[in-house]
Amino acid sequence: ALRLASENYHLGWQIKPKGSTKKTKLDPVKRKVTLTESEQIALLKYCLADHKTPAVSACLVFMIQSGAMASEIKRLDPEAVLTELKNPLPMIRIGTDDTTTVKNDYRRRSVPIVLGKNYLIANLPKAIEWLNDATGSAHAQRLKRGLIRATGNSGLSAHCLRHTLRANASSKGANSDHVACICGWSGAQSVISKDMRNYGLEALTRHKGFQEVTATSKMIHQHLIAAIATGDSNVVQLRK
């Protein structure tokens, strides 16, 4: 009856059954929230100076350059992480042991570390322990509070950092296959094969593909690397 009335009186109603998830032309597209450049700088500076909640800040420092989820960090081996961070070409390997549970096989990856290496060495093992002790959504709430304290933006969550990494890569014109290697998306195999992914640190360090991915990561995060190096920036974050 409603559809007939809409047609007869040219009302333009879009009628769909209750509970239907099918989108219509009038449904708004949900925008993926990303951090502005000033928010990214504020977050990184806040985290690297944080000695009150270092486990939370270490997660955020790693997430902003890896697109990692809390569940991926939780499954890391603290001893292996320290060895990988102290490597001449610092990295953190996610899911390289095939027995480790990951969302899909693309998520098994080696992430170049170009931001906050020393802070991660000091605090990421604590973060892994904290995530394994956390229950329910407690860790997500603490990560969200850390983001809000650093940026003043109450609309952010930890997952926004994964979207932000993709947006940064796109704005810098980064090689999409290199970005796939960093974030764990389809396309990474063309740069670093599955066999190469499971090689030792020394072999991976010498591998041309991983060296190029590291260079791409530095290019993507150049605005953050520069902000840390100078100790200041010409971008001022206005907190709400």
Side-chain angles (χ1 to χ4, degrees):
L2 292 171
R3 289 193 182 96
L4 182 60
S6 176
E7 182 178 344
N8 287 344
Y9 293 100
H10 308 289
L11 299 175
W13 291 345
Q14 297 291 328
I15 310 297
K16 57 183 180 179
K18 184 179 180 181
S20 171
T21 58
K22 185 177 179 180
K23 289 184 178 293
T24 71
K25 288 188 291 185
L26 297 182
D27 289 332
V29 177
K30 188 174 182 181
R31 184 176 66 89
K32 292 182 178 178
V33 179
T34 61
L35 280 70
T36 65
E37 184 171 310
S38 60
E39 286 173 340
Q40 294 171 46
I41 293 171
L43 173 63
L44 190 60
K45 288 187 173 183
Y46 171 88
C47 288
L48 295 181
D50 178 22
H51 299 293
K52 292 184 178 180
T53 57
V56 173
S57 288
C59 286
L60 297 173
V61 170
F62 180 45
M63 287 173 163
I64 199 170
Q65 62 189 307
S66 66
M69 306 303 294
S71 58
E72 293 178 316
I73 301 174
K74 177 181 179 178
R75 298 186 185 105
L76 295 174
D77 180 337
E79 291 186 8
V81 162
L82 290 178
T83 300
E84 291 160 4
L85 285 171
K86 294 175 182 177
N87 189 59
L89 206 58
M91 68 183 79
I92 292 178
R93 300 194 288 178
I94 297 174
T96 50
D97 180 353
D98 287 338
T99 62
T100 302
T101 302
V102 290
K103 185 175 181 179
N104 58 57
D105 197 56
Y106 296 131
R107 292 291 184 97
R108 302 185 190 279
R109 62 200 191 274
S110 298
V111 180
I113 299 302
V114 299
L115 299 166
K117 180 189 78 171
N118 292 334
Y119 191 85
L120 293 175
I121 289 173
N123 298 298
L124 194 55
K126 301 174 190 174
I128 297 168
E129 181 180 357
W130 162 60
L131 289 173
N132 279 281
D133 290 340
T135 57
S137 61
H139 70 277
Q141 293 303 316
R142 288 193 64 187
L143 290 169
K144 181 177 178 68
R145 287 198 296 270
L147 280 163
I148 294 172
R149 281 195 300 268
T151 65
N153 185 346
S154 61
L156 300 176
S157 68
H159 196 67
C160 297
L161 297 176
R162 188 167 173 84
H163 299 319
T164 299
L165 175 50
R166 169 171 263 174
N168 284 343
S170 178
S171 68
K172 300 286 179 62
N175 182 304
S176 60
D177 289 340
H178 291 180
V179 180
C181 289
I182 296 167
C183 297
W185 292 320
S186 174
Q189 290 270 41
S190 64
V191 182
I192 300 175
S193 69
K194 181 177 180 179
D195 290 338
M196 189 67 214
R197 186 184 67 201
N198 293 327
Y199 282 5
L201 281 179
E202 185 178 349
L204 193 56
T205 300
R206 296 195 310 267
H207 188 259
K208 181 181 177 182
F210 186 73
Q211 292 173 358
E212 291 175 346
V213 171
T214 300
T216 295
S217 184
K218 289 178 179 178
M219 182 263 287
I220 292 171
H221 299 102
Q222 183 55 41
H223 60 293
L224 297 176
I225 295 171
I228 296 171
T230 60
D232 205 348
S233 79
N234 59 358
V235 180
V236 178
Q237 171 65 25
L238 301 177
R239 299 169 69 94
K240 295 181 180 177

